[in-house]
Amino acid sequence: MSSLSIYPTPLGSKPTLEQPIPHASMAQLTNSSDFVSNEDQDAFFFRDLERSQILLNEAQVQAVRHYKGPLLTLAGAGSGKTTVLVCRAAYLLRVHRVHPSHLLLITFSKKAAEEMRERLTSLPGLDGSMTQAMQVRTFHAFCLRLLRINGFQQEILSDGRYQQIVFKRIMLSMGLQDTYQPEVLIALLSSYKMQLIEVSDLPEQTEEDQEMKKIFLQYEQWKMEQHKMDFDDILLMAYQLLKQNADILRSLERKFAYISVDEFQDTNTVQYEIIQMIAQNHQNLMVVGDDDQTIYSFNGARNEFILQFHQKYPAAKMVTLDINYRSTSSIVGLGNAIIRHNIQRKSKTLLATKQSDLKPLYVRPSSSDDEADWLVNDLRIKVAEGGKSYGDFAILYRTANNSRAIIEQLILHNLPFVDYGSNDSFYDQWMVKPIIDHLRIAHERRNFEAIEGVLPSLYIGRDQGMRIIQDQEAIQPKKWPLIHLLGLPQLKEFQKEKLKSRIKLIKSLAEMKPLAAVQAIRKDFYDTFLETNKRSKLTHHREMLKETLDELESSAKRFDTVEQFLYFIHEVAEKRTEMSALKKDQAANRISLMTIHKSKGLEFGVVYLLCAIEGNMPHSSALDAGHLDDVKMAGVAGRDKGPAALEEERRLAYVAVTRAKAELLISSPAYYRGKKAEPSRFLLSAFPGADAGVVTSRKPAAAGLGGARRFDAAAGAGTATEEVAAWLCSQAGCKAWSRISSPQEARLTAKACPLCGAAMVKGKRTVSLARSR
């Protein structure tokens, strides 16, 4: 399918609906030359900036001029936060004559720190010696330097693959090989440590709890014996050093009289505590961030550090950077219309600086494969028409599983791309590969690598199983080498019968169509195996496992024979290896593929957002978030996990939309892995005439969450109705209204209409019971 109907709204099946396209108001384009008088004592500083074409708006100037005490700078998407951070540092140096060694600028990535240093050096009145004297570092670099200065000499365990090998060796020594996924154990341990939970204090209520705690304790013991520390230890050991040594803390307090923290919304508990300790006396702390872009709660980021900043620092000033310099007014307007439905947020509405005839557009392909087919054709047309190169495009998606179809289409059309996710193919994922290995054995019965891959699903250790197969093959080769496993001495009769049954199943797969073969494996044993596997319990709930295997079925159904399917998988793996070389070449002209999480902080001329449907955006895991434990929901501790998870999903949608500078195309497949799918509630809720409540969920409570403060059409005649408290627009002719859905909102005394800007008044609204439930 090379073309699809494109709509101005996300209601693909209702293109005749008259709905206003959300637009952001245009900002008044004034700058420091308009309001910083030549008589002001600091006029020289802003005149120098202006001559360098650095034109700060009024809110930016307020943040730059801030001198003493705490400052919360809310920096909306594309609002120039880095410019404000570096200009404020320069202001302290040039206007207040602060010595550069007294400044500490903290950010999260090495790339961001390097960009800050470069921009500081290029500012008028500054030179390399001044920026060298400043501390412009990531959290990890700052903490590592602190540790090294104070005699910590442990070698850094920086190789993630080696770290995984260490965990595998520990599990092997415990007889737990293939029981847990090393990278997931590492992430879980990190989550505990970044919440300041000691390994020795971890629960031991279940067998899994006991096993994991023992693994973690052995890992910590191994590091101590080998004189090593991992990246989490760098932060944790620095925190402990400051807690235990008052002299070192006092020296840092005196040295760093002015502290600025970038991307404050991404701060975890340990990082927050370190900054608090250093700034506790002088409180000259500037934090810059956007609570609407807190999307890393799974890594310990805590939204409340921004939301409750004034509780910790009652004297703090707040500046809101609300002018977006990145995107067109319709893109900014869509972002505003999506995020306004969150309740746990600082109130702000971004203004735009760019207008364009290009509006966000929506497509409704029939499936993910049709979606990928359409996208590749649309992208090729845009490049062929001129004016755009491959590097202008980004393809964003909620989960890595959403990328399978588009990556395959890009490979088939030989288009250059970089996948910023895993280097592994979809077919190499730990829950997918065993199924592929069964197909490989069916096609090539003496494929020993595939034979090793199926052993864990037979509850046979890889080392022991391969040893007996290789030993017996040397004595007497078999047509089906798996038969040698019947000689394992510990196998009980029922296990031997299961092994024979498995070999019989594998023999039957070769003549099946690939889809039928995958379904036969799942039905016979694999779904049950995953559901009862400890690795599965730890890493994914049932819906996410099913999602991955359903995606495998979607891929398999396109092929007529197992041999064709396996050849295609091999071809995909080879092409991915070729494409991975492009990742190292920053100047290469290539399409960027990434999850929304990876895209934060980036911007692209044209953005395609894939699979914007219920069950994927918001993700099914968020709709079922009530079952998650507090560690996995680290960023929402102390709050109702269901609404908090849904609000984070809405923030993800907001981040995705605001990555686009000029063009935004959003796809909502009508069918997703064989089942009917509705467009994302986050998109529907952005349009006043749309029914954002027509979403379904397995949990009735979850469906109502998407309707918080949503706009609805009047209830239809002849249906059961009820009256609800609501905000009603006072402007004649404007029919906008929103439900009062929380105690916080009920306490508000005033509110502006999100459509026309007029004042809203409290009143009542009649809605159908079907809709309000």
Side-chain angles (χ1 to χ4, degrees):
M1 177 174 58
S2 59
S3 64
L4 284 171
S5 296
I6 297 179
Y7 305 109
T9 78
L11 302 177
S13 60
K14 301 178 183 178
T16 59
L17 222 66
E18 293 183 3
Q19 299 171 348
I21 305 297
H23 277 78
S25 299
M26 299 302 293
Q28 186 178 357
L29 293 178
T30 59
N31 60 62
S32 54
S33 64
D34 299 307
F35 50 80
V36 175
S37 167
N38 285 330
E39 281 69 49
D40 291 349
Q41 288 185 342
D42 56 6
F44 73 94
F45 178 81
F46 294 102
R47 300 294 91 88
D48 284 350
L49 290 182
E50 291 154 14
R51 281 188 284 272
S52 297
Q53 294 303 303
I54 301 172
L55 307 174
L56 303 180
N57 64 44
E58 195 161 3
Q60 290 173 330
V61 168
Q62 289 178 27
V64 167
R65 277 176 158 169
H66 182 78
Y67 182 35
K68 295 285 188 180
L71 170 68
L72 170 60
T73 304
L74 289 177
S79 62
K81 68 178 179 63
T82 304
T83 298
V84 169
L85 277 164
V86 297
C87 287
R88 196 252 180 168
Y91 189 90
L92 290 172
L93 297 175
R94 295 190 62 203
V95 176
H96 291 294
R97 300 295 178 182
V98 174
H99 193 276
S101 65
H102 293 324
L103 268 61
L104 173 62
L105 275 71
I106 292 287
T107 188
F108 275 80
S109 72
K110 185 178 179 181
K111 182 180 178 182
E114 289 171 351
E115 181 188 353
M116 280 192 198
R117 288 192 202 98
E118 290 174 7
R119 293 180 64 171
L120 279 164
T121 304
S122 67
L123 290 178
L126 302 190
D127 57 40
S129 64
M130 298 177 78
T131 54
Q132 285 295 321
M134 263 187 273
Q135 292 284 320
V136 185
R137 297 182 179 273
T138 64
F139 268 105
H140 283 87
F142 172 75
C143 290
L144 180 61
R145 188 170 186 269
L146 175 64
L147 294 175
R148 294 294 191 231
I149 289 172
N150 288 283
F152 289 75
Q153 297 301 319
Q154 289 94 327
E155 182 183 354
I156 301 171
L157 187 57
S158 58
D159 186 337
R161 290 193 179 276
Y162 182 51
Q163 194 178 19
Q164 291 178 28
I165 289 171
V166 173
F167 270 82
K168 285 180 179 179
R169 287 174 178 168
I170 292 171
M171 287 189 284
L172 182 61
S173 71
M174 295 171 59
L176 296 173
Q177 186 186 21
D178 295 315
T179 304
Y180 302 106
Q181 197 176 8
E183 54 265 42
V184 178
L185 286 178
I186 292 167
L188 186 59
L189 177 59
S190 174
S191 181
Y192 282 125
K193 290 165 72 172
M194 291 302 96
Q195 293 179 78
L196 295 174
I197 299 173
E198 295 283 347
V199 175
S200 57
D201 294 333
L202 293 180
E204 300 181 62
Q205 296 174 352
T206 66
E207 183 184 0
E208 288 87 353
D209 287 343
Q210 295 164 14
E211 288 175 351
M212 283 188 289
K213 183 173 181 176
K214 189 174 179 181
I215 293 168
F216 294 155
L217 287 170
Q218 288 201 26
Y219 172 64
E220 296 298 325
Q221 180 67 24
W222 176 86
K223 283 187 298 178
M224 187 172 68
E225 292 171 355
Q226 298 297 318
H227 205 57
K228 293 182 186 294
M229 59 180 171
D230 59 29
F231 284 120
D232 291 328
D233 295 328
I234 293 172
L235 300 180
L236 199 55
M237 292 163 74
Y239 164 78
Q240 291 165 346
L241 178 67
L242 297 180
K243 287 287 286 185
Q244 296 164 8
N245 195 312
D247 291 337
I248 293 175
L249 177 57
R250 275 194 296 271
S251 71
L252 290 183
E253 290 173 342
R254 289 192 297 268
K255 180 175 177 60
F256 299 118
Y258 297 90
I259 302 172
S260 299
V261 182
D262 188 18
E263 302 285 10
F264 189 64
Q265 76 279 346
D266 295 336
T267 309
N268 63 39
T269 300
V270 176
Q271 293 161 338
Y272 181 64
E273 291 295 330
I274 289 171
I275 290 300
Q276 274 193 309
M277 283 191 283
I278 301 173
Q280 62 187 346
N281 286 334
H282 57 68
Q283 295 199 356
N284 295 329
L285 174 62
M286 175 190 191
V287 299
V288 182
D290 183 6
D291 55 304
D292 288 335
Q293 296 186 64
T294 308
I295 59 173
Y296 294 120
S297 69
F298 63 90
N299 274 347
R302 304 290 289 267
N303 205 30
E304 58 263 36
F305 292 156
I306 280 187
L307 298 179
Q308 299 171 8
F309 191 76
H310 280 84
Q311 293 179 24
K312 183 65 182 178
Y313 300 99
K317 293 182 179 178
M318 185 174 80
V319 174
T320 302
L321 307 181
D322 59 359
I323 300 178
N324 180 294
Y325 294 95
R326 173 189 298 153
S327 310
T328 62
S329 63
S330 56
I331 293 173
V332 177
L334 178 60
N336 286 339
I338 287 172
I339 200 62
R340 73 181 178 209
H341 295 280
N342 270 4
I343 295 171
Q344 297 292 336
R345 66 184 291 256
K346 295 281 189 181
S347 179
K348 55 186 172 297
T349 301
L350 295 191
L351 305 174
T353 56
K354 299 177 182 177
Q355 288 183 324
S356 173
D357 292 334
L358 295 171
K359 307 294 190 292
L361 297 173
Y362 305 84
V363 295
R364 191 91 162 112
S366 62
S367 67
S368 294
D369 285 294
D370 287 339
E371 176 183 66
D373 188 25
W374 162 79
L375 190 158
V376 166
N377 278 281
D378 188 71
L379 190 153
R380 292 173 73 191
I381 290 169
K382 284 179 166 62
V383 172
E385 289 175 346
K388 289 187 174 63
S389 61
Y390 293 121
D392 294 323
F393 296 89
I395 301 171
L396 307 183
Y397 31 82
R398 171 63 181 84
T399 70
N401 284 336
N402 301 142
S403 68
R404 190 272 310 165
I406 184 60
I407 285 176
E408 291 175 2
Q409 281 294 322
L410 292 171
I411 287 173
L412 290 172
H413 287 85
N414 203 30
L415 297 182
F417 72 93
V418 174
D419 176 10
Y420 286 92
S422 169
N423 289 325
D424 293 333
S425 164
F426 168 80
Y427 305 100
D428 286 328
Q429 291 189 48
W430 72 266
M431 68 284 276
V432 173
K433 191 174 182 297
I435 293 182
I436 305 303
D437 283 336
H438 279 78
L439 298 182
R440 286 179 173 134
I441 298 171
H443 178 63
E444 183 187 355
R445 58 179 69 100
R446 296 181 63 78
N447 186 326
F448 291 98
E449 183 181 346
I451 288 172
E452 182 178 352
V454 307
L455 293 179
S457 68
L458 289 163
Y459 300 97
I460 295 173
R462 290 175 187 262
D463 290 345
Q464 185 187 26
M466 291 308 296
R467 190 181 305 118
I468 191 169
I469 288 173
Q470 289 163 356
D471 290 347
Q472 293 303 310
E473 277 288 295
I475 299 169
Q476 184 179 1
K478 293 285 188 182
K479 189 176 180 181
W480 293 90
L482 276 171
I483 290 175
H484 292 305
L485 295 172
L486 291 171
L488 282 170
Q490 77 273 21
L491 283 191
K492 297 181 172 61
E493 279 304 313
F494 78 91
Q495 291 174 299
K496 291 181 180 180
E497 291 304 314
K498 284 187 177 295
L499 176 57
K500 291 175 184 176
S501 174
R502 182 72 60 84
I503 294 172
K504 182 179 178 182
L505 171 67
I506 292 172
K507 288 179 179 180
S508 71
L509 299 175
E511 301 305 318
M512 294 185 186
K513 287 186 176 294
L515 174 59
V518 172
Q519 291 173 335
I521 293 169
R522 293 185 64 180
K523 182 180 180 181
D524 186 81
F525 72 93
Y526 198 65
D527 281 357
T528 303
F529 168 73
L530 284 182
E531 289 173 12
T532 57
N533 187 277
K534 293 176 182 177
R535 174 192 286 198
S536 305
K537 289 180 180 178
L538 176 62
T539 61
H540 297 275
H541 65 79
R542 183 178 302 176
E543 185 65 25
M544 293 178 73
L545 289 169
K546 183 177 181 300
E547 172 185 307
T548 303
L549 298 185
D550 286 350
E551 186 63 34
L552 177 61
E553 290 189 11
S554 296
S555 177
K557 72 181 180 183
R558 299 170 298 160
F559 301 91
D560 292 327
T561 68
V562 168
E563 183 178 10
Q564 289 175 354
F565 188 32
L566 291 175
Y567 179 78
F568 178 77
I569 291 171
H570 174 72
E571 186 181 42
V572 168
E574 285 198 333
K575 288 290 183 81
R576 283 187 67 101
T577 302
E578 292 174 19
M579 294 296 181
S580 66
L582 288 173
K583 192 182 289 189
K584 300 175 183 176
D585 183 1
Q586 294 299 317
N589 181 25
R590 69 277 196 273
I591 304 158
S592 296
L593 274 72
M594 63 189 76
T595 62
I596 301 169
H597 284 99
K598 289 275 187 183
S599 75
K600 193 172 79 67
L602 303 177
E603 58 184 39
F604 304 93
V606 183
V607 168
Y608 294 95
L609 177 58
L610 302 188
C611 213
I613 57 170
E614 287 293 304
N616 193 60
M617 189 182 296
H619 196 269
S620 55
S621 59
L623 299 177
D624 293 340
H627 83 283
L628 295 175
D629 61 44
D630 288 334
V631 172
K632 293 179 182 177
M633 293 291 290
V636 295
R639 290 188 274 135
D640 187 342
K641 288 176 282 193
L646 197 67
E647 291 211 349
E648 179 140 340
E649 290 291 303
R650 188 176 283 111
R651 292 194 291 270
L652 267 174
Y654 173 75
V655 167
V657 164
T658 54
R659 298 311 92 197
K661 294 196 288 187
E663 293 187 58
L664 174 64
L665 298 101
I666 302 176
S667 172
S668 303
Y671 286 87
Y672 186 54
R673 293 166 186 151
K675 295 183 179 179
K676 196 174 188 322
E678 298 292 340
S680 168
R681 69 185 72 185
F682 302 145
L683 299 177
L684 298 182
S685 67
F687 291 83
D691 184 2
V694 294
V695 294
T696 59
S697 171
R698 291 178 304 283
K699 294 190 175 186
L705 295 171
R709 298 164 61 187
R710 72 173 186 264
F711 292 94
D712 283 317
T719 59
T721 62
E722 67 173 350
E723 279 197 336
V724 298
W727 289 99
L728 309 175
C729 183
S730 61
Q731 179 71 32
C734 182
K735 297 181 179 179
W737 71 281
S738 64
R739 190 168 184 161
I740 297 175
S741 57
S742 70
Q744 299 96 313
E745 194 172 9
R747 288 195 289 269
L748 293 177
T749 57
K751 180 175 178 175
C753 175
L755 292 186
C756 67
M760 299 187 86
V761 295
K762 290 180 180 177
K764 299 284 187 180
R765 181 78 175 186
T766 301
V767 298
S768 69
L769 283 172
R771 223 180 245 178
S772 63
R773 276 197 292 267

